[in-house]
Amino acid sequence: MTIEEIYALPVNQYGWRVLPTGNYVTLGNGVKLGNYVKLGNYVTIGNGVKLGNYVKLGNYVTLGNGVKLGNYVTIGNGVKLGNYVKLGNYVTIGNGVKLGDDALDFQWSPLQIQGSKHLLYVAGPKIIGVGCVREDATWWNKHYRAVGRKENYSNQQIEEYRQWLDIAIGYQTKLAPEEAKTNG
């Protein structure tokens, strides 16, 4: 089907269009589909998405706004791609993958603290990141000094980040107490 034919399908009371295959899809505005695109069941496509030729989307796939997929891309079931994710030609993504910051399932707004050297951020209920290093609280409690030395932090900066880590760990513990218990 062409994108024009899909847009012409009526939207049911739940916001889905039913394709001739019986699959349910939701389309944002300005979606462009290449030739021979296959859409799985319960696919949600955001605004301004562009899919190349021979793209295959599995069931329960969500594509954020502005996503661009090259030709011959295959996306598994339950995949979420955040806004403006771009994938080249011949990419295959397995089931359940989430790409892009806004594809993560946060139950709360992520915490971010700009320290004197790197950004510290809570990346979900179990992971804390400082710069490019993402680990759980137990790991950070054991290794924050070594990471600081490796990144050429002064002793004062290492202590600063220790305090930021305490705040982040407390934040995780307060918002997700059961999961945070496994963080140490």
Side-chain angles (χ1 to χ4, degrees):
M1 290 187 81
T2 67
I3 192 65
E4 291 80 15
E5 292 170 323
I6 296 173
Y7 275 126
L9 294 171
V11 176
N12 70 17
Q13 72 261 27
Y14 304 108
W16 297 98
R17 290 180 165 89
V18 182
L19 301 176
T21 61
N23 291 347
Y24 290 75
V25 299
T26 298
L27 300 176
N29 297 318
V31 174
K32 295 182 180 180
L33 301 181
N35 296 316
Y36 309 107
V37 170
K38 293 185 181 180
L39 302 176
N41 204 12
Y42 297 104
V43 169
T44 301
I45 299 176
N47 298 321
V49 171
K50 294 180 183 178
L51 304 181
N53 297 322
Y54 299 96
V55 169
K56 295 179 187 177
L57 302 181
N59 300 325
Y60 302 97
V61 169
T62 300
L63 304 180
N65 298 326
V67 169
K68 293 181 182 179
L69 304 181
N71 298 324
Y72 299 96
V73 171
T74 301
I75 305 293
N77 298 325
V79 171
K80 291 183 180 183
L81 300 182
N83 295 336
Y84 306 103
V85 169
K86 294 178 185 178
L87 301 177
N89 297 333
Y90 301 99
V91 173
T92 299
I93 295 181
N95 297 335
V97 172
K98 297 176 184 181
L99 292 177
D101 289 341
D102 46 2
L104 298 176
D105 289 331
F106 286 107
Q107 295 178 3
W108 58 82
S109 178
L111 173 68
Q112 297 182 356
I113 300 170
Q114 180 59 60
S116 60
K117 199 134 178 173
H118 291 105
L119 180 70
L120 180 143
Y121 51 96
V122 175
K126 293 187 177 184
I127 300 297
I128 298 171
V130 177
C132 295
V133 181
R134 295 169 47 113
E135 297 290 345
D136 66 22
T138 301
W139 188 92
W140 278 112
N141 280 328
K142 292 178 184 174
H143 298 97
Y144 75 93
R145 283 188 183 92
V147 171
R149 286 191 298 269
K150 181 180 177 208
E151 296 294 330
N152 296 316
Y153 284 27
S154 69
N155 288 336
Q156 183 179 4
Q157 287 172 317
I158 290 172
E159 188 53 37
E160 170 197 351
Y161 278 85
R162 168 74 262 162
Q163 292 173 10
W164 295 138
L165 286 166
D166 287 343
I167 291 169
I169 292 166
Y171 180 75
Q172 285 180 323
T173 303
K174 181 178 177 187
L175 294 173
E178 290 305 311
E179 293 183 52
K181 284 180 185 173
T182 62
N183 282 348

